[in-house]
Amino acid sequence: MVTKEMKCKTIIATAAMSALCKSLIKVCATEGIDVIGVIRKKEDLKTPLDLGFKHALNLTSPAFEKDLREIAAKTDARIAFDAIAGDMPGKLLSAMPSNSTVFVYDLLSGKPSSVDSLKDQLEKENKKLQRFSVFECKVIKDPEERRKAFDYIQKDVEEGGKLFKINVLEKFTLDEFKTAFETYAKVASTGKIIITPNP
């Protein structure tokens, strides 16, 4: 919805290998919206492209900010969804065109968003940093929009989960808690694990 309001045909998404972003790219594809995926590991660079991302950028590359600036300008990417926080929103806003907005919905870095050094640039170029919470968006607050969203998701689930299916890799009991988290640390970008009550 926000992409339609801002008339934006390309968005940027950090944590591009997450389950959420994998669903995001599929939903965007149905709406004719391209996604620039930001990944953390060099070995994941080809995978986002396989998933349908228009571009994939390696966050650890020395040329990351330069490449992002060039691609954002070329595609007029004025919306970004960021799950990292810390200095990432600042990097995104600095590289994005005028009239851009970065929506922060998580803090994977463990640090709050910081854009203090960009204050003048943000004001001059009309760039914004906003918190994004599903509980505060129009889709949840408006009963009619909420019903449409639930119907959309339910229809997808009934048809096999082409958009919102989560890849569950393994199940563990509570007694296997430690092993479960050690396993998840190794496979976080490929799927989820489930912890169930002890039998």
Side-chain angles (χ1 to χ4, degrees):
M1 183 175 291
V2 69
T3 55
K4 292 180 180 178
E5 291 174 359
M6 295 179 64
K7 298 180 180 179
C8 193
K9 301 296 288 183
T10 302
I11 66 170
I12 301 168
T14 63
M17 295 306 296
S18 69
L20 178 61
C21 275
K22 288 175 183 176
S23 290
L24 176 66
I25 177 61
K26 295 172 186 176
V27 172
C28 284
T30 67
E31 299 292 329
I33 298 169
D34 293 328
V35 179
I36 300 169
V38 177
I39 56 94
R40 292 179 297 167
K41 300 176 184 177
K42 185 177 181 180
E43 54 267 33
D44 287 336
L45 197 56
K46 292 181 181 179
T47 309
L49 297 177
D50 296 336
L51 292 171
F53 286 85
K54 192 70 174 180
H55 302 278
L57 298 176
N58 180 1
L59 180 58
T60 61
S61 167
F64 169 70
E65 292 180 58
K66 174 180 174 291
D67 292 343
L68 177 59
R69 183 174 291 104
E70 291 176 355
I71 294 173
K74 182 178 179 181
T75 60
D76 192 33
R78 290 175 285 109
I79 295 175
F81 291 97
D82 175 47
I84 300 173
D87 64 355
M88 179 51 63
K91 290 181 179 180
L92 293 171
L93 285 168
S94 181
M96 293 166 72
S98 297
N99 306 307
S100 293
T101 301
V102 171
F103 295 93
V104 179
Y105 64 91
D106 205 344
L107 283 86
L108 295 180
S109 67
K111 301 175 183 178
S113 301
S114 177
V115 293
D116 291 344
S117 62
L118 298 174
K119 186 177 179 181
D120 291 341
Q121 181 188 357
L122 300 187
E123 291 180 0
K124 182 180 179 181
E125 299 181 11
N126 191 33
K127 296 180 179 181
K128 301 174 184 176
L129 174 66
Q130 287 187 217
R131 181 181 72 167
F132 181 84
S133 169
V134 68
F135 301 106
E136 297 175 358
C137 66
K138 183 180 178 182
V139 172
I140 294 299
K141 289 185 174 181
D142 184 316
E144 181 62 21
E145 292 293 331
R146 185 168 64 244
R147 184 191 61 76
K148 288 179 182 178
F150 282 135
D151 288 348
Y152 181 74
I153 294 170
Q154 184 176 352
K155 184 174 184 289
D156 177 67
V157 172
E158 290 173 350
E159 293 176 351
K162 294 178 181 178
L163 301 177
F164 300 105
K165 185 176 181 180
I166 300 297
N167 183 27
V168 177
L169 300 174
E170 202 167 345
K171 294 181 180 180
F172 297 89
T173 65
L174 277 175
D175 287 341
E176 300 170 314
F177 180 83
K178 184 177 179 182
T179 303
F181 273 83
E182 289 173 349
T183 301
Y184 184 66
K186 298 174 184 176
V187 300
S189 63
T190 56
K192 301 294 183 183
I193 62 164
I194 293 177
I195 298 177
T196 62
N198 294 325

